[in-house]
């Protein structure tokens, strides 16, 4: 490094090549010593990892923003200046994910690095591991959870705005709800907890776990999943899991989504609960009562009451025949939906 106004460097002269560690205001002592002003914790960074995190969150200095919103508790209450700051503590926690075998002391040594070698105007040494433990207790889980929310929110916005694979039905994002079973190790505990499908005496080779994945159609991402025993009636088990999904994952069932469901008819009361919070497109079996309540709409669909005398719900019905590789499928497909606007959601689009 050369100072501004210094002489021109000529071939053969000795130069010293340095790595920048910190840019800080100079503190000049009476004896001429030049020291660094400020606090080393304010200079601790995660390098490329921190830059990548800012990019994922869509805003610079995201760790500092999170740290500024956290009020420490316990042993670090108050505003006194300490060897660690909330931002540095959060960076140390993130660094633990990249150095899973390191102890607290090693984490802090890696975080501060060469900053410990800088002649600070207030003497500084890398804090002991117990200091990081105290700060983790003082911060609690909220900073990491807040940081996670910021990253996921930015990722979700980018996916929604720019995903070339996005599958839409009008202005609605498409999702699906369908049951599945997964084999489990054949242990007495698993058989007792989960049972198996298809055999009344639970004699199948493996016990099975019944799951109800709620997925997004664009990237097939898992929005939610609930699991339970696989034994018993399939329809009843699937409907019980759907009740749990609605209760445990309310943030997934929103009015900007349309969920496709197959012929395991969830029942009128359950559909009523669904359409209060989201939109549905459900294929129904031939034994479900459909009572037409009006003429055909211009797209060929029609409005009808679904269900019997005990419980009914007004839905729009879409009927169509399918063709596979040039051959007609000998079965009519019948869909019901709470989307009554045939212009915004044409029957052909929903059938497709």
């Amino acid at each position: 490094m050369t100072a501004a106004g210094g002489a021109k460097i000529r071939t053969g002269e000795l130069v010293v090549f340095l790595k920048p560690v910190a840019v800080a205001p100079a503190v000049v002592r009476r004896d001429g010593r030049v020291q660094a002003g400020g606090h080393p914790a304010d200079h601790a960074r995660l390098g490329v990892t921190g830059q990548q995190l800012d990019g994922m969150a869509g805003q610079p200095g995201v760790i500092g923003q999170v740290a500024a919103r956290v009020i420490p508790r316990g042993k670090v209450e108050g505003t006194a200046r300490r060897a660690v700051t909330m931002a540095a503590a959060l960076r140390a926690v993130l660094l633990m994910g990249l150095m899973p075998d390191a102890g607290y002391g090693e984490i802090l040594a890696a975080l501060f690095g060469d900053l410990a070698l800088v002649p600070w105007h207030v003497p500084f040494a890398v804090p002991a591991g117990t200091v990081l433990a105290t700060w983790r207790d003082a911060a609690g889980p909220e900073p990491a959870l807040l940081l996670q929310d910021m990253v996921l929110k930015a990722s979700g916005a980018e996916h929604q705005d720019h995903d070339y694979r996005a599958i839409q039905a009008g202005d609605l994002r498409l999702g699906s709800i369908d049951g599945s079973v997964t084999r489990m190790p054949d242990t007495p505990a698993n058989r007792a907890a989960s049972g198996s499908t298809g055999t009344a005496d639970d004699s199948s080779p493996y016990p099975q776990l019944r799951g109800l994945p709620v997925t997004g159609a664009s990237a097939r991402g898992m929005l939610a999943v609930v699991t339970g025993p696989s034994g018993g009636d399939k329809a009843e088990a699937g409907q019980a899991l759907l009740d749990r999904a609605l209760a445990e994952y309310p943030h997934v069932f929103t009015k900007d989504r349309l969920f496709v469901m197959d012929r395991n008819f969830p029942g009128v009361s359950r559909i009523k609960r669904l359409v209060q919070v989201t939109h549905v497109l459900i294929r129904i079996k031939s034994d479900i009562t459909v009572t037409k309540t009006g003429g055909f709409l211009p797209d060929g669909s029609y409005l009808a009451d679904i269900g019997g005398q005990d419980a009914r719900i007004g839905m729009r019905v879409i009927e169509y025949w399918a063709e596979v590789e040039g051959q007609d499928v000998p079965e009519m497909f019948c869909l019901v939906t709470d989307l009554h606007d045939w212009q915004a959601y044409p029957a052909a689009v929903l059938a497709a």
Side-chain angles (χ1 to χ4, degrees), residues 39 41-42 44 62-74 76-78 80-94 111-112 132 134-144 146-147:
H39 195 288
D42 294 332
V62 64
I63 293 178
Q65 294 182 43
V66 171
R69 297 167 62 176
V70 179
I71 300 176
R73 57 202 175 202
V76 294
E77 288 183 339
R81 194 63 163 171
R82 295 174 173 85
V84 175
T85 62
M86 184 58 69
L90 182 54
R91 289 186 174 94
V93 170
L94 296 175
L111 178 65
F112 285 102
L132 178 55
T134 299
W135 274 86
R136 287 195 71 189
D137 289 339
E142 287 78 11
L146 179 58
L147 183 60

Side-chain angles (χ1 to χ4, degrees), residues 138-314:
E142 287 78 11
L145 292 174
L146 179 58
L147 183 60
Q148 174 182 265
D149 288 343
M150 295 173 71
V151 171
L152 292 178
K153 183 177 180 180
S155 177
E158 182 179 9
H159 179 80
Q160 185 172 352
D161 294 341
H162 306 293
D163 186 8
Y164 65 91
R165 303 165 300 180
I167 301 174
Q168 301 269 134
D171 56 349
L172 301 176
R173 292 179 291 168
L174 195 64
S176 69
I177 304 173
D178 198 5
S180 178
V181 292
T182 303
R183 286 182 174 181
M184 303 173 66
D186 189 8
T187 66
N190 282 343
R191 282 198 178 273
S194 300
S196 58
T197 61
T199 57
D201 59 354
D202 193 24
S203 60
S204 62
Y206 295 95
Q208 296 166 313
L209 186 70
R210 184 178 301 281
L212 187 73
V214 181
T215 61
S218 291
R220 300 178 184 176
M222 191 75 72
L223 304 176
V225 63
V226 289
T227 60
S230 62
D233 182 76
K234 175 182 177 181
E236 292 180 0
Q239 291 164 10
L241 291 178
L242 180 55
D243 289 340
R244 281 185 48 202
L246 283 168
E248 297 175 18
Y249 297 94
H251 59 283
V252 169
F253 299 95
T254 55
K255 283 295 186 179
D256 63 344
R257 292 187 185 275
L258 171 65
F259 284 104
V260 175
M261 304 174 64
D262 208 351
R263 291 184 296 175
N264 186 11
F265 190 66
V268 171
S269 61
R270 197 166 283 103
I271 292 178
K272 287 182 177 180
R273 293 202 301 273
L274 277 165
V275 299
Q276 287 178 352
V277 294
T278 191
H279 300 287
V280 297
L281 181 65
I282 306 171
R283 183 184 175 199
I284 61 173
K285 295 181 179 179
S286 59
D287 58 354
I288 302 298
T289 303
V290 177
T291 306
K292 199 160 175 279
T293 58
F296 285 99
L297 298 171
D299 67 344
S301 62
Y302 59 89
L303 301 181
D305 286 336
I306 310 300
Q309 295 181 351
D310 295 337
R312 293 187 177 191
I313 183 172

Side-chain angles (χ1 to χ4, degrees), residues 36-55:
H39 195 288
D42 294 332
H43 296 267
R45 295 291 185 272
L46 294 178
V48 174
T49 301
Q51 297 171 14
Q52 184 179 10
L53 185 62
D54 287 350

